[in-house]
Amino acid sequence: MANLLIRLTSTPYGTSDAADGLDFAIGATNYGHHVTLLFEGNGLWQLIHQSPPDKGVKNHSKRLKSLTFFDIDACYYSEQDRLSLGITQDKLSPVVSKAEQGDITSLINNSDHVVTF
Amino acid sequence: MEKTPRYWGVFVSMSAYSILVTSSPYDQAGSASAVRFCQHLLEEGHTLSQVFFYQQGIYNAFSTMAPPNDERNRFEEWKALHDACGTPLRVCITAGEKRGLVLSTDANQPELAHPFEQTGLGEFFTALHDSHRLVQF
């Protein structure tokens, strides 16, 4: 079993990175790996409440809420990036916990592999 | 926002590597870097366990790509790598089909050609259990 750190750095619907990143994360836990998610940069916009997307587009907010059913419970956001983007903490999804820069360094050091979407 | 590197690899003697390619062959530099990295891995004596093509990376598997004569043919580069060491070149079936890469004998359709294989994330993650390092391009 490997510990994977998956960095999500893209907006929820601007590219396919957010959706593909979640597919990748869920695939990893389905096949016996441990996953930690880290939302950085524009990835923090995935954590804000959004209107439902158009038909035919997967609802990213709903998918984030269901991560625990796939044994993905270790979810963090970069506090530094939250401050840079001017997002207040109360706007963020409750599935994530704060990570300071030192915490992020620890997450990376404690991971076997790091992947970015 | 400063872009952080997408790979976090260190060369360790005689390690088994899995490579994740999410870069398209010509729109981004990642796939060229991936080929060079794999070549150096083999020269250094490491094991290339697998190369998995995901997202736009699946475009590396298009046998119908036709770059100008003075540019490298990425499909042929990956093929040469496979011929040298037998490394599985795995193309995500979902990402491929979404983008029109099919198993087809119709000459007008982009076709998944040998040595690329159409597989899923499952095969990739199963093989990852036996890899020391995962590097993404």
Side-chain angles (χ1 to χ4, degrees):
Chain A
M1 182 195 78
N3 291 315
L4 274 78
L5 176 64
I6 298 177
R7 301 172 61 243
L8 298 173
T9 65
S10 304
T11 56
Y13 299 108
T15 67
S16 66
D17 283 350
D20 292 342
L22 284 193
D23 289 341
F24 192 86
I26 292 168
T29 58
N30 281 346
Y31 285 87
H33 299 286
H34 180 267
V35 166
T36 299
L37 293 184
L38 174 62
F39 294 85
E40 292 185 289
N42 283 327
L44 267 77
W45 297 113
Q46 297 181 35
L47 304 173
I48 307 297
H49 173 74
Q50 295 132 24
S51 303
D54 288 339
K55 235 181 185 178
V57 178
K58 288 179 187 157
N59 189 315
H60 198 69
S61 293
K62 279 190 178 174
R63 296 190 76 200
L64 289 179
K65 286 175 188 165
S66 71
L67 287 175
T68 189
F69 295 112
F70 298 98
D71 298 324
I72 300 175
D73 297 304
C75 301
Y76 301 91
Y77 68 90
S78 164
E79 172 66 2
Q80 180 175 302
D81 292 345
R82 182 190 69 79
L83 292 168
S84 295
L85 292 170
I87 300 171
T88 54
Q89 245 169 349
D90 61 313
K91 296 280 194 297
L92 296 177
S93 167
V95 305
V96 289
S97 303
K98 180 171 68 175
E100 304 281 1
Q101 281 305 111
D103 300 325
I104 292 174
T105 302
S106 295
L107 287 175
I108 294 170
N109 288 337
N110 292 331
S111 297
D112 296 306
H113 311 300
V114 181
V115 175
T116 301
F117 290 97
Chain B
M1 176 67 56
E2 186 182 337
K3 204 166 186 177
T4 49
R6 282 190 164 223
Y7 60 93
W8 305 80
V10 217
F11 284 104
V12 176
S13 55
M14 302 307 287
S15 291
Y17 283 76
S18 282
I19 305 297
L20 174 66
V21 179
T22 54
S23 303
S24 61
Y26 298 106
D27 306 282
Q28 296 148 313
S31 72
S33 298
V35 169
R36 286 198 301 275
F37 185 84
C38 290
Q39 290 166 343
H40 283 301
L41 278 182
L42 296 174
E43 288 168 9
E44 295 291 319
H46 300 287
T47 300
L48 191 55
S49 300
Q50 60 173 338
V51 183
F52 186 72
F53 299 88
Y54 189 51
Q55 294 187 296
Q56 302 97 311
I58 64 97
Y59 289 116
N60 285 269
F62 274 51
S63 60
T64 49
M65 66 172 72
N69 290 338
D70 58 348
E71 291 186 30
R72 295 175 186 271
N73 184 308
R74 197 74 71 240
F75 173 86
E76 295 295 337
E77 287 189 308
W78 285 116
K79 184 173 179 302
L81 198 74
H82 169 84
D83 291 344
C85 64
T87 294
L89 303 179
R90 299 186 162 129
V91 179
C92 178
I93 185 170
T94 303
E97 288 186 340
K98 188 189 293 191
R99 293 167 174 82
L101 181 64
V102 295
L103 283 171
S104 170
T105 55
D106 183 347
N108 294 319
Q109 296 287 336
E111 183 179 306
L112 188 71
H114 178 81
F116 289 87
E117 310 166 16
Q118 201 169 34
T119 67
L121 285 169
E123 282 88 347
F124 167 74
F125 283 117
T126 299
L128 188 64
H129 285 285
D130 297 324
S131 293
H132 298 104
R133 298 287 176 186
L134 170 62
V135 186
Q136 179 188 8
F137 292 90

